[in-house]
Amino acid sequence: QVHLIESGGGVVQPGGSLRLSCAASGRAVSSYPMGWFRQAPGKEREFVAAVSWGGGNTGYADFAKGRFAISRDNNKNTVYLQMNSLHPEDTAVYYCAAVGTRYMTGYYTREPEYAYWGQGTQVTVAS
């Protein structure tokens, strides 16, 4: 089994930055593609960013391009999401997830492709 724990959320003013972390544990966890999703109140969970198992391939939702950056440190079993120029509409619970298939060189954007999920961390962007 894979266990994921998000951290780094909080309250930030518009235009500010946050870095989210996802600490992972479990068998071969560092070899799985990973992703970040978010869910605002009353809305469906949506894709934010994803990274291949080695970190070489990344993909982003349109709203995240140019503002967010996903990265991973497999030696630390940790995935990061750096968020800059935050907007109030970025307010949501942010979740990290693992695909569950090892050594995939691509990235994945759909919820059904992910087998393991963290409990989420709250990000609030407000004055």
Side-chain angles (χ1 to χ4, degrees):
Q1 293 293 312
V2 173
H3 186 53
L4 307 174
I5 301 177
E6 302 94 338
S7 63
V11 180
V12 64
Q13 293 185 340
S17 298
L18 284 174
R19 189 178 75 161
L20 306 183
S21 298
C22 177
S25 62
R27 183 180 179 85
V29 65
S30 64
S31 64
Y32 297 122
M34 301 287 293
W36 287 95
F37 293 76
R38 70 184 188 184
Q39 186 170 25
K43 295 186 177 181
E44 298 290 328
R45 187 154 55 187
E46 64 180 343
F47 168 75
V48 177
V51 61
S52 61
W53 77 271
N57 291 321
T58 58
Y60 298 91
D62 286 341
F63 65 79
K65 293 177 180 177
R67 296 193 299 130
F68 295 1
I70 188 171
S71 62
R72 67 190 301 164
D73 185 341
N74 287 344
N75 291 328
K76 299 184 182 298
N77 293 323
T78 302
V79 180
Y80 305 97
L81 182 68
Q82 177 68 47
M83 303 187 294
N84 301 318
S85 301
L86 285 163
H87 304 150
E89 56 264 37
D90 294 318
T91 296
V93 177
Y94 284 71
Y95 300 87
C96 66
V99 168
T101 301
R102 300 169 65 185
Y103 305 119
M104 302 298 291
T105 58
Y107 58 86
Y108 301 86
T109 64
R110 298 176 60 248
E111 287 189 58
E113 297 172 315
Y114 288 83
Y116 307 103
W117 294 83
Q119 296 186 62
T121 185
Q122 176 70 48
V123 172
T124 302
V125 184
S127 299

